[in-house]
Amino acid sequence: MGGAALDVTRLSAGYGPVRALREVTLDVPQGSVVAVLGGNGAGKSTLLRAISRTLPYYGGASKGGSVRFGGAPLHTLTADRVVAAGVSQVPEGRQVFARMTVQDNLRAGALGSTGGRAARAAALRRVHGLFPVLAQRAHQRAGLLSGGEQQQLAVARALMAGPRLLLLDEPSLGLAPMMAARIADTIRQINAEGTSVLLVEQNAALALRLASRAYVLEVGEVTLSGPADELAASDEVRRRYLGVVDEDAADDAFRVTEQAGAAGPGGRPPALTRWVGP
Amino acid sequence: MTTFIELLLGGVSLGSVYALIALGFVVIFRATEVVNFAHASLLLAGGYVTAVLSDDIGFWPALLTGIASGALVGAAIEFLVLRRYRGSDHSVLAIVTIGVDILLVTDLTRRIGTDVLAVRDPWGDQLLTIGSVSLAQTRVAALLVAGLLITAFLLAFRYTSWGVAMRAAAENAGTAALMGIRLGRVSLGAWAVAGGLAAVAALFLTVFPTPGLERATSLAALKAFPAAILGGLDSTTGALAGGLIVGVTESLATGYQSDLTFLGRGLGDLAPYLVMIAILLVRPAGLLGTKETARV
Ligand SMILES: Nc1ncnc2c1ncn2[C@@H]1O[C@H](COP(=O)(O)OP(=O)(O)OP(=O)(O)O)[C@@H](O)[C@H]1O
Ligand SMILES: [Mg+2]
């Protein structure tokens, strides 16, 4: 299950007259976890739907730009071909099939699998290993699971297709900190097993801990990007997405400048790149 | 008592035929959220092919061709008409099916004219008699065939990949697409299955005691609407329950008509609708339908 790089280039999308994404460029190197941060309505879900080619089901459409996975274009495919190409998405708000059993939800996830019976059986063993609760609740209706269990099911269902890249839309949404942390651990493990991850989150602290690289999306545009640890240290991100109050941020900023000063002219300048358009 | 048992069995048999129609109706609704007003004409089309061919090529080949034609007409409606309107509002699609219905019924009634096309079925007007209870063999055959088809359908719906895809698409189209499910195929399959089931139902609506296929056959098919609605439009089990309730009510009301003359004539035809209205007053979503709930 090797990874492949995802390259999104100047991708635009919208819903009717509403433009939700403007020339977004980002990439997910093979085997990495990349985070996309942004507030409500920033266009995060739209980005994932544009990649998975499911925008039409929400009344939207891509309006230009390209998406390539391992060099092959995804932006010309239908949703089922995208899954077949190895890209699976966990939708925002879990969206488990509430009236179906846990087991049937996993079977639905396996419908997009290009492998045979053996591959599907192996995928099922894998997700039962990752989420033992799903094996215990196999015959229960998915709608009766707790929020955390539903999130586990949503991730497991996406893994059933054996993806090489997993798109996750706010997996920590509405979860208690403990459960969010467990989901984070699982994402780390899935990635360690060779699946690349594009993680969309409002919970910036969690996302920046998992990701090696992050992008900040505001009103449909990438406004900031860089290595996750540097973004985590930046004033703007701390203030706006990590909930650090201004004074602390100012303190920090002060300390950082002091350190930079101490490091002298040989000190490495922050590698943050402010996005200034094409 | 004998009369009652005979009427009850006849009603169950008739109900199982209505259930076949209602099942197709529900399958289309679940897979595509379209209320298919063309269902009666779908039935007429399948029945017409069976009736016309049964003279020339024999009953069983004619029935198989009829079923295949029903499935084909269903698939063609989906592929040639509804697909063009994909993304439109569901009420627009429902109106489109009314248009299709008018076209099909007009053409078929022109072909049928005032004829009554008798089907050369192997049962004829023979009776099956056990003790003092006797039932037309066609009714027994209807019950067996419908029971078999419904069981096969429910098993497939539950256990096959086709069924899983169908249920997933019914619950959430966008999420089903994320699973790699091809929604176009799901909806094409639903229409084909519904057309095939309707063709089988058409056969049993045109054999003894009915003289044969005529223009009014599509009216008989309309009784499956209250069956589907009172069962809850989106429930397959509801379609079965609804079919049986309508069949039994109709059979009993017709059988005891002479005792109920104070209620007027034609009660048998009216009773299914009265039952539907009574049930919907108590349970607006139908017996087994899902209530419209909006989660915030
Ligand atoms: N189905 C839709 N129809 C019309 N406009 C939509 C639709 N979905 C999203 N939008 C609009 O597109 C923009 C981007 O929305 P999107 O859902 O991508 O944001 P988001 O970053 O995922 O937000 P959130 O964190 O709240 O999920 C918003 O202005 C939103 O109002
Ligand atoms: Mg979103």
Side-chain angles (χ1 to χ4, degrees):
Chain A
M1 229 183 286
L6 179 81
D7 291 299
V8 175
T9 314
R10 302 182 64 171
L11 185 64
S12 297
Y15 304 88
V18 182
R19 280 257 255 162
L21 278 190
R22 264 175 252 264
E23 309 218 327
V24 168
T25 296
L26 61 79
D27 63 305
V28 182
Q30 176 168 336
S32 65
V33 178
V34 170
V36 175
L37 311 177
N40 288 116
K44 304 181 299 297
S45 299
T46 307
L47 171 66
L48 295 192
R49 288 170 187 164
I51 297 171
S52 64
R53 304 285 297 158
T54 51
L55 271 175
Y57 299 102
Y58 303 91
S62 292
K63 305 237 164 90
S66 70
V67 180
R68 286 171 191 283
F69 184 58
L74 295 186
H75 58 278
T76 50
L77 303 181
T78 52
D80 60 293
R81 297 270 118 221
V82 173
V83 176
V87 178
S88 288
Q89 184 187 340
V90 180
E92 183 177 342
R94 325 187 233 286
Q95 306 288 348
V96 296
F97 299 116
R99 293 203 270 163
M100 291 162 58
T101 61
V102 168
Q103 177 179 289
D104 282 350
N105 267 267
L106 295 177
R107 286 184 69 194
L111 290 175
S113 161
T114 46
R117 193 179 281 267
R120 287 198 296 273
L124 189 64
R125 273 197 303 280
R126 179 187 180 202
V127 303
H128 279 166
L130 282 170
F131 308 106
V133 68
L134 298 182
Q136 292 155 26
R137 303 288 175 84
H139 300 288
Q140 193 173 332
R141 270 180 175 222
L144 301 176
L145 298 178
S146 75
E149 289 161 350
Q150 288 191 10
Q151 187 63 60
Q152 299 181 32
L153 177 58
V155 174
R157 185 179 62 178
L159 289 177
M160 288 300 292
R164 292 183 292 158
L165 169 67
L166 193 61
L167 311 173
L168 289 163
D169 198 343
E170 303 203 35
S172 77
L173 186 74
L175 300 186
M178 279 276 282
M179 186 49 83
R182 276 201 51 196
I183 295 281
D185 285 343
T186 317
I187 295 170
R188 204 173 276 124
Q189 188 177 346
I190 291 167
N191 178 244
E193 290 170 6
T195 310
S196 315
V197 175
L198 179 57
L199 171 66
V200 157
E201 263 296 344
Q202 288 205 43
N203 183 342
L206 179 143
L208 290 172
R209 251 182 282 129
L210 282 172
S212 55
R213 221 185 137 69
Y215 295 79
V216 174
L217 205 58
E218 279 172 32
V219 220
E221 290 182 80
V222 174
T223 54
L224 212 55
S225 70
D229 46 354
E230 285 173 24
L231 272 190
S234 92
D235 297 347
E236 200 169 337
V237 170
R238 291 180 60 120
R239 204 171 51 244
R240 299 182 66 155
Y241 300 105
L242 293 173
V244 181
V245 291
D246 274 356
E247 276 169 76
D248 289 5
D251 262 337
D252 268 13
F254 184 66
R255 213 172 54 237
V256 168
T257 4
E258 264 191 343
Q259 280 169 351
R268 199 164 55 91
L272 286 185
T273 47
R274 188 157 251 292
W275 197 81
V276 283
Chain B
M1 191 60 197
T2 307
T3 321
F4 177 75
I5 292 175
E6 282 175 352
L7 288 176
L8 191 65
L9 286 176
V12 169
S13 163
L14 191 63
S16 66
V17 174
Y18 290 150
L20 280 182
I21 309 171
L23 199 58
F25 193 78
V26 166
V27 164
I28 289 179
F29 183 76
R30 285 192 50 157
T32 63
E33 280 179 51
V34 175
V35 177
N36 175 26
F37 288 106
H39 215 81
S41 58
L42 209 54
L43 178 138
L44 200 59
Y48 176 75
V49 172
T50 310
V52 166
L53 290 182
S54 71
D55 256 348
D56 302 336
I57 62 173
F59 173 73
W60 293 107
L63 178 59
L64 288 183
T65 318
I67 294 170
S69 309
L72 212 64
V73 173
I77 296 176
E78 198 279 342
F79 193 76
L80 299 176
V81 186
L82 287 170
R83 204 161 276 211
R84 309 274 165 260
Y85 294 83
R86 188 182 284 171
S88 310
D89 197 50
H90 296 308
S91 44
V92 173
L93 292 175
I95 292 169
V96 169
T97 65
I98 296 181
V100 170
D101 187 66
I102 292 173
L103 280 178
L104 273 178
V105 168
T106 310
D107 183 61
L108 286 166
T109 47
R110 185 180 57 76
R111 286 166 192 275
I112 298 169
T114 51
D115 292 350
V116 177
L117 305 173
V119 184
R120 297 288 155 101
D121 65 276
W123 307 291
D125 57 0
Q126 298 168 68
L127 299 179
L128 177 78
T129 309
I130 299 171
S132 58
V133 177
S134 47
L135 200 63
Q137 283 191 6
T138 51
R139 287 270 179 260
V140 180
L143 188 58
L144 291 179
V145 171
L148 212 66
L149 282 177
I150 289 166
T151 312
F153 175 86
L154 290 182
L155 288 178
F157 206 58
R158 218 183 142 121
Y159 295 109
T160 66
S161 298
W162 173 80
V164 172
M166 194 87 161
R167 284 182 285 145
E171 218 174 298
N172 187 332
T175 309
L178 281 184
M179 309 291 113
I181 293 170
R182 296 168 69 174
L183 297 174
R185 268 199 196 179
V186 167
S187 117
L188 196 67
W191 278 83
V193 165
L197 291 177
V200 176
L203 168 72
F204 291 113
L205 288 178
T206 49
V207 292
F208 182 79
T210 318
L213 183 92
E214 50 184 334
R215 291 150 92 161
T217 303
S218 70
L219 296 181
L222 287 181
K223 286 179 199 142
F225 279 94
I229 291 169
L230 75 79
L233 259 186
D234 61 351
S235 160
T236 40
T237 358
L240 305 186
L244 290 181
I245 290 173
V246 169
V248 170
T249 315
E250 184 185 333
S251 172
L252 293 180
T254 313
Y256 291 117
Q257 187 127 263
S258 48
D259 303 329
L260 299 168
T261 41
F262 63 95
L263 288 174
R265 284 183 180 280
L267 186 64
D269 290 332
L270 204 59
Y273 292 92
L274 295 178
V275 175
M276 175 184 83
I277 290 167
I279 288 179
L280 291 185
L281 283 177
V282 185
R283 292 186 60 93
L287 284 177
L288 294 164
T290 18
K291 286 200 193 75
E292 281 286 332
T293 43
R295 280 183 69 170
V296 201

